[in-house]
PDB file of all heavy atoms in Angstrom:
ATOM      1  N   PRO H   1     124.652  54.501 -50.742  1.00 86.00           N
ATOM      2  CA  PRO H   1     124.208  54.881 -49.394  1.00 86.00           C
ATOM      3  C   PRO H   1     125.347  55.311 -48.468  1.00 86.00           C
ATOM      4  O   PRO H   1     125.154  56.164 -47.613  1.00 86.00           O
ATOM      5  CB  PRO H   1     123.526  53.617 -48.870  1.00 86.00           C
ATOM      6  CG  PRO H   1     123.092  52.889 -50.090  1.00 86.00           C
ATOM      7  CD  PRO H   1     124.144  53.184 -51.125  1.00 86.00           C
ATOM      8  N   ASP H   2     126.555  54.754 -48.645  1.00 84.00           N
ATOM      9  CA  ASP H   2     127.673  55.140 -47.788  1.00 84.00           C
ATOM     10  C   ASP H   2     128.305  56.468 -48.211  1.00 84.00           C
ATOM     11  O   ASP H   2     129.164  57.007 -47.519  1.00 84.00           O
ATOM     12  CB  ASP H   2     128.734  54.047 -47.728  1.00 84.00           C
ATOM     13  CG  ASP H   2     129.393  53.773 -49.075  1.00 84.00           C
ATOM     14  OD1 ASP H   2     129.125  54.501 -50.047  1.00 84.00           O
ATOM     15  OD2 ASP H   2     130.173  52.815 -49.147  1.00 84.00           O
ATOM     16  N   GLY H   3     127.891  57.011 -49.343  1.00 79.00           N
ATOM     17  CA  GLY H   3     128.385  58.303 -49.805  1.00 79.00           C
ATOM     18  C   GLY H   3     129.790  58.268 -50.375  1.00 79.00           C
ATOM     19  O   GLY H   3     130.359  59.305 -50.679  1.00 79.00           O
ATOM     20  N   LYS H   4     130.364  57.074 -50.557  1.00 80.00           N
ATOM     21  CA  LYS H   4     131.739  56.976 -51.020  1.00 80.00           C
ATOM     22  C   LYS H   4     131.866  56.594 -52.489  1.00 80.00           C
ATOM     23  O   LYS H   4     132.940  56.666 -53.056  1.00 80.00           O
ATOM     24  CB  LYS H   4     132.500  55.953 -50.175  1.00 80.00           C
ATOM     25  CG  LYS H   4     132.620  56.385 -48.731  1.00 80.00           C
ATOM     26  CD  LYS H   4     133.391  55.377 -47.927  1.00 80.00           C
ATOM     27  CE  LYS H   4     133.471  55.847 -46.474  1.00 80.00           C
ATOM     28  NZ  LYS H   4     134.234  54.917 -45.655  1.00 80.00           N
ATOM     29  N   ARG H   5     130.771  56.174 -53.102  1.00 82.00           N
ATOM     30  CA  ARG H   5     130.811  55.748 -54.496  1.00 82.00           C
ATOM     31  C   ARG H   5     129.654  56.376 -55.256  1.00 82.00           C
ATOM     32  O   ARG H   5     128.645  56.730 -54.665  1.00 82.00           O
ATOM     33  CB  ARG H   5     130.717  54.228 -54.590  1.00 82.00           C
ATOM     34  CG  ARG H   5     131.935  53.529 -54.009  1.00 82.00           C
ATOM     35  CD  ARG H   5     131.666  52.081 -53.777  1.00 82.00           C
ATOM     36  NE  ARG H   5     130.708  52.028 -52.656  1.00 82.00           N
ATOM     37  CZ  ARG H   5     129.916  51.011 -52.403  1.00 82.00           C
ATOM     38  NH1 ARG H   5     129.932  49.960 -53.172  1.00 82.00           N
ATOM     39  NH2 ARG H   5     129.096  51.027 -51.394  1.00 82.00           N
ATOM     40  N   ILE H   6     129.842  56.474 -56.564  1.00 82.00           N
ATOM     41  CA  ILE H   6     128.799  57.035 -57.424  1.00 82.00           C
ATOM     42  C   ILE H   6     128.722  56.197 -58.695  1.00 82.00           C
ATOM     43  O   ILE H   6     129.731  55.690 -59.172  1.00 82.00           O
ATOM     44  CB  ILE H   6     129.094  58.521 -57.761  1.00 82.00           C
ATOM     45  CG1 ILE H   6     127.909  59.158 -58.485  1.00 82.00           C
ATOM     46  CG2 ILE H   6     130.365  58.663 -58.545  1.00 82.00           C
ATOM     47  CD1 ILE H   6     128.022  60.646 -58.638  1.00 82.00           C
ATOM     48  N   ALA H   7     127.526  56.026 -59.186  1.00 83.00           N
ATOM     49  CA  ALA H   7     127.314  55.399 -60.488  1.00 83.00           C
ATOM     50  C   ALA H   7     126.792  56.501 -61.399  1.00 83.00           C
ATOM     51  O   ALA H   7     125.836  57.194 -61.061  1.00 83.00           O
ATOM     52  CB  ALA H   7     126.304  54.265 -60.395  1.00 83.00           C
ATOM     53  N   ALA H   8     127.459  56.688 -62.539  1.00 83.00           N
ATOM     54  CA  ALA H   8     127.080  57.769 -63.445  1.00 83.00           C
ATOM     55  C   ALA H   8     127.073  57.266 -64.877  1.00 83.00           C
ATOM     56  O   ALA H   8     127.900  56.446 -65.256  1.00 83.00           O
ATOM     57  CB  ALA H   8     128.051  58.939 -63.316  1.00 83.00           C
ATOM     58  N   LEU H   9     126.120  57.753 -65.660  1.00 80.00           N
ATOM     59  CA  LEU H   9     126.071  57.441 -67.087  1.00 80.00           C
ATOM     60  C   LEU H   9     126.950  58.449 -67.815  1.00 80.00           C
ATOM     61  O   LEU H   9     126.697  59.643 -67.779  1.00 80.00           O
ATOM     62  CB  LEU H   9     124.635  57.525 -67.603  1.00 80.00           C
ATOM     63  CG  LEU H   9     123.657  56.545 -66.977  1.00 80.00           C
ATOM     64  CD1 LEU H   9     122.252  56.830 -67.471  1.00 80.00           C
ATOM     65  CD2 LEU H   9     124.053  55.125 -67.295  1.00 80.00           C
ATOM     66  N   MET H  10     128.017  57.925 -68.435  1.00 78.00           N
ATOM     67  CA  MET H  10     128.955  58.784 -69.144  1.00 78.00           C
ATOM     68  C   MET H  10     128.724  58.625 -70.644  1.00 78.00           C
ATOM     69  O   MET H  10     128.313  57.555 -71.102  1.00 78.00           O
ATOM     70  CB  MET H  10     130.395  58.397 -68.795  1.00 78.00           C
ATOM     71  CG  MET H  10     130.692  58.421 -67.294  1.00 78.00           C
ATOM     72  SD  MET H  10     130.466  60.028 -66.533  1.00 78.00           S
ATOM     73  CE  MET H  10     131.920  60.861 -67.081  1.00 78.00           C
ATOM     74  N   PRO H  11     128.993  59.661 -71.416  1.00 74.00           N
ATOM     75  CA  PRO H  11     128.810  59.547 -72.865  1.00 74.00           C
ATOM     76  C   PRO H  11     129.840  58.602 -73.475  1.00 74.00           C
ATOM     77  O   PRO H  11     130.891  58.348 -72.881  1.00 74.00           O
ATOM     78  CB  PRO H  11     129.010  60.976 -73.362  1.00 74.00           C
ATOM     79  CG  PRO H  11     129.821  61.637 -72.314  1.00 74.00           C
ATOM     80  CD  PRO H  11     129.474  60.970 -71.021  1.00 74.00           C
ATOM     81  N   ALA H  12     129.542  58.094 -74.653  1.00 68.00           N
ATOM     82  CA  ALA H  12     130.460  57.209 -75.368  1.00 68.00           C
ATOM     83  C   ALA H  12     131.735  57.969 -75.717  1.00 68.00           C
ATOM     84  O   ALA H  12     131.731  59.188 -75.883  1.00 68.00           O
ATOM     85  CB  ALA H  12     129.786  56.680 -76.624  1.00 68.00           C
ATOM     86  N   GLU H  13     132.840  57.237 -75.855  1.00 70.00           N
ATOM     87  CA  GLU H  13     134.140  57.856 -76.130  1.00 70.00           C
ATOM     88  C   GLU H  13     134.248  58.430 -77.532  1.00 70.00           C
ATOM     89  O   GLU H  13     134.762  59.501 -77.729  1.00 70.00           O
ATOM     90  CB  GLU H  13     135.252  56.830 -75.915  1.00 70.00           C
ATOM     91  CG  GLU H  13     135.455  56.451 -74.477  1.00 70.00           C
ATOM     92  CD  GLU H  13     136.011  57.583 -73.639  1.00 70.00           C
ATOM     93  OE1 GLU H  13     136.771  58.412 -74.158  1.00 70.00           O
ATOM     94  OE2 GLU H  13     135.656  57.647 -72.451  1.00 70.00           O
ATOM     95  N   GLY H  14     133.800  57.675 -78.537  1.00 63.00           N
ATOM     96  CA  GLY H  14     133.961  58.132 -79.915  1.00 63.00           C
ATOM     97  C   GLY H  14     132.675  58.029 -80.697  1.00 63.00           C
ATOM     98  O   GLY H  14     131.704  57.450 -80.231  1.00 63.00           O
ATOM     99  N   PRO H  15     132.638  58.590 -81.897  1.00 60.00           N
ATOM    100  CA  PRO H  15     131.418  58.567 -82.708  1.00 60.00           C
ATOM    101  C   PRO H  15     130.915  57.155 -83.003  1.00 60.00           C
ATOM    102  O   PRO H  15     129.725  56.910 -83.044  1.00 60.00           O
ATOM    103  CB  PRO H  15     131.809  59.266 -84.002  1.00 60.00           C
ATOM    104  CG  PRO H  15     133.103  59.929 -83.751  1.00 60.00           C
ATOM    105  CD  PRO H  15     133.724  59.282 -82.557  1.00 60.00           C
ATOM    106  N   GLU H  16     131.856  56.194 -83.176  1.00 59.00           N
ATOM    107  CA  GLU H  16     131.428  54.824 -83.477  1.00 59.00           C
ATOM    108  C   GLU H  16     130.741  54.167 -82.283  1.00 59.00           C
ATOM    109  O   GLU H  16     129.931  53.278 -82.443  1.00 59.00           O
ATOM    110  CB  GLU H  16     132.612  53.973 -83.946  1.00 59.00           C
ATOM    111  CG  GLU H  16     133.683  53.726 -82.889  1.00 59.00           C
ATOM    112  CD  GLU H  16     134.660  54.892 -82.697  1.00 59.00           C
ATOM    113  OE1 GLU H  16     134.642  55.827 -83.482  1.00 59.00           O
ATOM    114  OE2 GLU H  16     135.433  54.830 -81.738  1.00 59.00           O
ATOM    115  N   ASP H  17     131.082  54.606 -81.064  1.00 51.00           N
ATOM    116  CA  ASP H  17     130.479  54.036 -79.858  1.00 51.00           C
ATOM    117  C   ASP H  17     129.081  54.597 -79.581  1.00 51.00           C
ATOM    118  O   ASP H  17     128.322  54.015 -78.841  1.00 51.00           O
ATOM    119  CB  ASP H  17     131.363  54.312 -78.642  1.00 51.00           C
ATOM    120  CG  ASP H  17     132.717  53.647 -78.749  1.00 51.00           C
ATOM    121  OD1 ASP H  17     132.784  52.571 -79.379  1.00 51.00           O
ATOM    122  OD2 ASP H  17     133.693  54.201 -78.226  1.00 51.00           O
ATOM    123  N   GLN H  18     128.739  55.719 -80.149  1.00 53.00           N
ATOM    124  CA  GLN H  18     127.482  56.372 -79.831  1.00 53.00           C
ATOM    125  C   GLN H  18     126.279  55.696 -80.465  1.00 53.00           C
ATOM    126  O   GLN H  18     125.158  55.992 -80.113  1.00 53.00           O
ATOM    127  CB  GLN H  18     127.550  57.838 -80.224  1.00 53.00           C
ATOM    128  CG  GLN H  18     128.546  58.583 -79.362  1.00 53.00           C
ATOM    129  CD  GLN H  18     128.506  60.075 -79.592  1.00 53.00           C
ATOM    130  OE1 GLN H  18     127.604  60.574 -80.229  1.00 53.00           O
ATOM    131  NE2 GLN H  18     129.482  60.771 -79.067  1.00 53.00           N
ATOM    132  N   LYS H  19     126.480  54.769 -81.373  1.00 57.00           N
ATOM    133  CA  LYS H  19     125.368  54.067 -82.004  1.00 57.00           C
ATOM    134  C   LYS H  19     124.625  53.189 -80.999  1.00 57.00           C
ATOM    135  O   LYS H  19     123.450  52.966 -81.132  1.00 57.00           O
ATOM    136  CB  LYS H  19     125.873  53.211 -83.157  1.00 57.00           C
ATOM    137  CG  LYS H  19     126.459  54.004 -84.291  1.00 57.00           C
ATOM    138  CD  LYS H  19     127.052  53.094 -85.334  1.00 57.00           C
ATOM    139  CE  LYS H  19     127.807  53.896 -86.363  1.00 57.00           C
ATOM    140  NZ  LYS H  19     128.596  53.044 -87.228  1.00 57.00           N
ATOM    141  N   ALA H  20     125.309  52.683 -79.987  1.00 51.00           N
ATOM    142  CA  ALA H  20     124.726  51.732 -79.036  1.00 51.00           C
ATOM    143  C   ALA H  20     124.200  52.406 -77.770  1.00 51.00           C
ATOM    144  O   ALA H  20     123.957  51.747 -76.785  1.00 51.00           O
ATOM    145  CB  ALA H  20     125.755  50.678 -78.665  1.00 51.00           C
ATOM    146  N   GLN H  21     124.001  53.705 -77.758  1.00 54.00           N
ATOM    147  CA  GLN H  21     123.542  54.389 -76.556  1.00 54.00           C
ATOM    148  C   GLN H  21     122.102  54.053 -76.203  1.00 54.00           C
ATOM    149  O   GLN H  21     121.649  54.380 -75.126  1.00 54.00           O
ATOM    150  CB  GLN H  21     123.698  55.894 -76.695  1.00 54.00           C
ATOM    151  CG  GLN H  21     125.117  56.344 -76.501  1.00 54.00           C
ATOM    152  CD  GLN H  21     125.190  57.847 -76.413  1.00 54.00           C
ATOM    153  OE1 GLN H  21     124.257  58.553 -76.763  1.00 54.00           O
ATOM    154  NE2 GLN H  21     126.300  58.348 -75.954  1.00 54.00           N
ATOM    155  N   ASN H  22     121.378  53.411 -77.078  1.00 61.00           N
ATOM    156  CA  ASN H  22     119.989  53.076 -76.795  1.00 61.00           C
ATOM    157  C   ASN H  22     119.858  51.652 -76.251  1.00 61.00           C
ATOM    158  O   ASN H  22     118.775  51.115 -76.180  1.00 61.00           O
ATOM    159  CB  ASN H  22     119.123  53.244 -78.044  1.00 61.00           C
ATOM    160  CG  ASN H  22     119.587  52.333 -79.172  1.00 61.00           C
ATOM    161  OD1 ASN H  22     120.642  51.734 -79.093  1.00 61.00           O
ATOM    162  ND2 ASN H  22     118.805  52.254 -80.228  1.00 61.00           N
ATOM    163  N   GLN H  23     120.954  51.029 -75.866  1.00 64.00           N
ATOM    164  CA  GLN H  23     120.929  49.660 -75.347  1.00 64.00           C
ATOM    165  C   GLN H  23     121.104  49.684 -73.837  1.00 64.00           C
ATOM    166  O   GLN H  23     121.973  50.364 -73.306  1.00 64.00           O
ATOM    167  CB  GLN H  23     122.049  48.840 -75.968  1.00 64.00           C
ATOM    168  CG  GLN H  23     122.062  47.412 -75.491  1.00 64.00           C
ATOM    169  CD  GLN H  23     123.170  46.608 -76.145  1.00 64.00           C
ATOM    170  OE1 GLN H  23     124.032  47.152 -76.815  1.00 64.00           O
ATOM    171  NE2 GLN H  23     123.156  45.329 -75.937  1.00 64.00           N
ATOM    172  N   VAL H  24     120.253  48.940 -73.130  1.00 67.00           N
ATOM    173  CA  VAL H  24     120.326  48.829 -71.678  1.00 67.00           C
ATOM    174  C   VAL H  24     120.377  47.354 -71.326  1.00 67.00           C
ATOM    175  O   VAL H  24     119.642  46.549 -71.895  1.00 67.00           O
ATOM    176  CB  VAL H  24     119.092  49.478 -71.004  1.00 67.00           C
ATOM    177  CG1 VAL H  24     119.137  49.287 -69.501  1.00 67.00           C
ATOM    178  CG2 VAL H  24     119.015  50.943 -71.363  1.00 67.00           C
ATOM    179  N   ILE H  25     121.246  46.993 -70.406  1.00 69.00           N
ATOM    180  CA  ILE H  25     121.345  45.612 -69.942  1.00 69.00           C
ATOM    181  C   ILE H  25     120.924  45.569 -68.486  1.00 69.00           C
ATOM    182  O   ILE H  25     121.474  46.295 -67.656  1.00 69.00           O
ATOM    183  CB  ILE H  25     122.780  45.070 -70.101  1.00 69.00           C
ATOM    184  CG1 ILE H  25     123.178  45.094 -71.565  1.00 69.00           C
ATOM    185  CG2 ILE H  25     122.902  43.673 -69.497  1.00 69.00           C
ATOM    186  CD1 ILE H  25     124.627  44.764 -71.819  1.00 69.00           C
ATOM    187  N   PHE H  26     119.938  44.742 -68.160  1.00 71.00           N
ATOM    188  CA  PHE H  26     119.463  44.579 -66.791  1.00 71.00           C
ATOM    189  C   PHE H  26     119.955  43.241 -66.251  1.00 71.00           C
ATOM    190  O   PHE H  26     119.825  42.217 -66.920  1.00 71.00           O
ATOM    191  CB  PHE H  26     117.929  44.590 -66.724  1.00 71.00           C
ATOM    192  CG  PHE H  26     117.333  45.934 -66.960  1.00 71.00           C
ATOM    193  CD1 PHE H  26     116.849  46.269 -68.213  1.00 71.00           C
ATOM    194  CD2 PHE H  26     117.258  46.861 -65.941  1.00 71.00           C
ATOM    195  CE1 PHE H  26     116.289  47.508 -68.444  1.00 71.00           C
ATOM    196  CE2 PHE H  26     116.705  48.108 -66.162  1.00 71.00           C
ATOM    197  CZ  PHE H  26     116.221  48.431 -67.413  1.00 71.00           C
ATOM    198  N   LEU H  27     120.510  43.256 -65.073  1.00 72.00           N
ATOM    199  CA  LEU H  27     120.893  42.024 -64.392  1.00 72.00           C
ATOM    200  C   LEU H  27     119.859  41.773 -63.307  1.00 72.00           C
ATOM    201  O   LEU H  27     119.772  42.521 -62.344  1.00 72.00           O
ATOM    202  CB  LEU H  27     122.281  42.154 -63.761  1.00 72.00           C
ATOM    203  CG  LEU H  27     123.435  42.308 -64.720  1.00 72.00           C
ATOM    204  CD1 LEU H  27     124.731  42.544 -63.966  1.00 72.00           C
ATOM    205  CD2 LEU H  27     123.566  41.069 -65.588  1.00 72.00           C
ATOM    206  N   GLN H  28     119.080  40.743 -63.488  1.00 78.00           N
ATOM    207  CA  GLN H  28     118.065  40.396 -62.495  1.00 78.00           C
ATOM    208  C   GLN H  28     118.516  39.141 -61.775  1.00 78.00           C
ATOM    209  O   GLN H  28     119.066  38.222 -62.381  1.00 78.00           O
ATOM    210  CB  GLN H  28     116.714  40.160 -63.148  1.00 78.00           C
ATOM    211  CG  GLN H  28     116.136  41.410 -63.762  1.00 78.00           C
ATOM    212  CD  GLN H  28     114.784  41.146 -64.370  1.00 78.00           C
ATOM    213  OE1 GLN H  28     114.531  40.085 -64.913  1.00 78.00           O
ATOM    214  NE2 GLN H  28     113.899  42.125 -64.278  1.00 78.00           N
ATOM    215  N   ASN H  29     118.272  39.126 -60.490  1.00 80.00           N
ATOM    216  CA  ASN H  29     118.616  37.967 -59.657  1.00 80.00           C
ATOM    217  C   ASN H  29     120.085  37.601 -59.786  1.00 80.00           C
ATOM    218  O   ASN H  29     120.446  36.424 -59.812  1.00 80.00           O
ATOM    219  CB  ASN H  29     117.729  36.765 -60.020  1.00 80.00           C
ATOM    220  CG  ASN H  29     116.261  37.099 -59.914  1.00 80.00           C
ATOM    221  OD1 ASN H  29     115.856  37.791 -58.992  1.00 80.00           O
ATOM    222  ND2 ASN H  29     115.482  36.631 -60.857  1.00 80.00           N
ATOM    223  N   PHE H  30     120.938  38.593 -59.843  1.00 78.00           N
ATOM    224  CA  PHE H  30     122.365  38.365 -60.032  1.00 78.00           C
ATOM    225  C   PHE H  30     122.955  37.493 -58.919  1.00 78.00           C
ATOM    226  O   PHE H  30     123.648  36.516 -59.176  1.00 78.00           O
ATOM    227  CB  PHE H  30     123.113  39.695 -60.102  1.00 78.00           C
ATOM    228  CG  PHE H  30     124.611  39.550 -60.155  1.00 78.00           C
ATOM    229  CD1 PHE H  30     125.235  39.147 -61.318  1.00 78.00           C
ATOM    230  CD2 PHE H  30     125.377  39.805 -59.034  1.00 78.00           C
ATOM    231  CE1 PHE H  30     126.610  39.005 -61.374  1.00 78.00           C
ATOM    232  CE2 PHE H  30     126.756  39.661 -59.082  1.00 78.00           C
ATOM    233  CZ  PHE H  30     127.369  39.268 -60.255  1.00 78.00           C
ATOM    234  N   PHE H  31     122.665  37.841 -57.658  1.00 83.00           N
ATOM    235  CA  PHE H  31     123.244  37.087 -56.553  1.00 83.00           C
ATOM    236  C   PHE H  31     122.669  35.681 -56.461  1.00 83.00           C
ATOM    237  O   PHE H  31     123.352  34.749 -56.044  1.00 83.00           O
ATOM    238  CB  PHE H  31     123.083  37.853 -55.246  1.00 83.00           C
ATOM    239  CG  PHE H  31     123.948  39.085 -55.211  1.00 83.00           C
ATOM    240  CD1 PHE H  31     123.387  40.348 -55.280  1.00 83.00           C
ATOM    241  CD2 PHE H  31     125.326  38.978 -55.131  1.00 83.00           C
ATOM    242  CE1 PHE H  31     124.179  41.472 -55.271  1.00 83.00           C
ATOM    243  CE2 PHE H  31     126.134  40.108 -55.127  1.00 83.00           C
ATOM    244  CZ  PHE H  31     125.558  41.350 -55.185  1.00 83.00           C
TER     245      PHE H  31
END
């Protein structure tokens, strides 16, 4: 909202890292 930061989904660095692209972690009630 302040326009100073961005969250972006970046591709994995190497071929071995691309296997886990279908995994999502949700943090609920973190605070």
Side-chain angles (χ1 to χ4, degrees):
D2 64 6
K4 296 181 181 181
R5 293 165 290 158
I6 188 170
L9 298 174
M10 304 299 284
E13 290 292 328
E16 66 280 351
D17 297 329
Q18 293 188 12
K19 295 175 188 169
Q21 282 190 345
N22 61 350
Q23 181 179 10
V24 177
I25 299 172
F26 288 98
L27 294 175
Q28 294 181 325
N29 304 320
F30 174 75
F31 291 110

